[in-house]
Amino acid sequence: PNVVFADADMDQAVEGAFHAIYFHCGQCCTAGSRLFVEDKVRKEFVDRLATKAKKRKLGDPLDMNTEQGPQVDQAQFDKIMKYIGLGKQQGAQCVTGGERHGDRGYYVQPTLFTNVKDDMAIAQDEIFGPVMSVFKFSSLDEIVARANATQFGLAAAIWTRDVQKAHTLAKKIRAGTIWVNC
């Protein structure tokens, strides 16, 4: 889980959340695919992420201007596209991306879903691709249970200016590594 509270430094949190999922095309064991954003700032946060995703340059990874290359192989590409389809079928809203990029190679557009429910496949399974699911939350108590409602717990991130809140949540999240404001 990647948890953003309303009091976080929004510029830093947007950059961090964006990097957390789209780093290495989402093919990273610590990818921040489940993003929980406090309801008070969720719309602004999603809008900023979507704007960044739409501007992302996909292409040849050897080109210095490329920001995102292809998925590792056909099998991984197919798996990611299957999950994007499941997200749409199960009622999540695809804000941006959700399609193949170009007509050659294994390029997947940076994809951003909202209105994701905790039990959807895109929320429960490890996609290992450039697909972010955004959830809203309203309180610290609520986010503890929801952040831990997955079988995956390698890493987590907390974004807040309130050190006490960060430490309280960090003690309750089941993850191997927990970053605060980074």
Side-chain angles (χ1 to χ4, degrees):
N2 197 349
V3 180
V4 179
F5 287 95
D7 67 348
D9 176 321
M10 284 298 123
D11 292 336
Q12 184 183 18
V14 167
E15 288 299 320
F18 190 83
H19 181 77
I21 186 60
Y22 299 123
F23 177 69
H24 286 309
C25 315
Q27 300 172 124
C28 178
C29 295
T30 57
S33 59
R34 292 186 315 134
L35 177 65
F36 294 88
V37 182
E38 193 166 3
D39 197 33
K40 297 174 201 173
V41 295
R42 187 189 59 82
K43 183 179 179 341
E44 174 193 352
F45 205 89
V46 168
D47 289 348
R48 290 176 69 176
L49 286 172
T51 297
K52 286 183 68 62
K54 289 174 186 173
K55 292 178 182 177
R56 192 156 173 88
K57 183 170 178 355
L58 281 69
D60 181 347
L62 298 177
D63 180 341
M64 293 302 290
N65 295 315
T66 295
E67 296 172 306
Q68 181 178 314
Q71 303 313 123
V72 68
D73 60 20
Q74 181 75 50
Q76 188 59 27
F77 172 84
D78 291 343
K79 176 185 173 190
I80 295 164
M81 296 310 294
K82 178 188 103 178
Y83 276 105
I84 290 171
L86 283 171
K88 293 173 182 177
Q89 289 171 12
Q90 293 176 347
Q93 178 189 0
C94 186
V95 175
T96 189
E99 302 291 334
R100 169 187 213 126
H101 173 76
D103 57 2
R104 293 180 46 204
Y106 309 124
Y107 297 90
V108 177
Q109 295 173 346
T111 302
L112 179 63
F113 280 103
T114 60
N115 300 328
V116 181
K117 305 293 183 232
D118 294 331
D119 62 347
M120 290 180 174
I122 59 172
Q124 287 298 310
D125 297 342
E126 189 174 62
I127 299 171
F128 219 62
V131 180
M132 180 186 288
S133 296
V134 180
F135 309 81
K136 64 181 176 179
F137 75 95
S138 299
S139 71
L140 182 65
D141 292 333
E142 172 192 354
I143 195 56
V144 170
R146 294 178 66 209
N148 289 327
T150 180
Q151 64 181 335
F152 302 104
L154 186 58
I158 301 166
W159 300 87
T160 180
R161 287 185 168 109
D162 182 336
V163 175
Q164 183 63 38
K165 188 175 3 182
H167 283 240
T168 299
L169 183 56
K171 288 178 188 174
K172 295 178 179 185
I173 291 180
R174 292 188 316 263
T177 297
I178 301 174
W179 293 285
V180 175
N181 296 328
C182 62

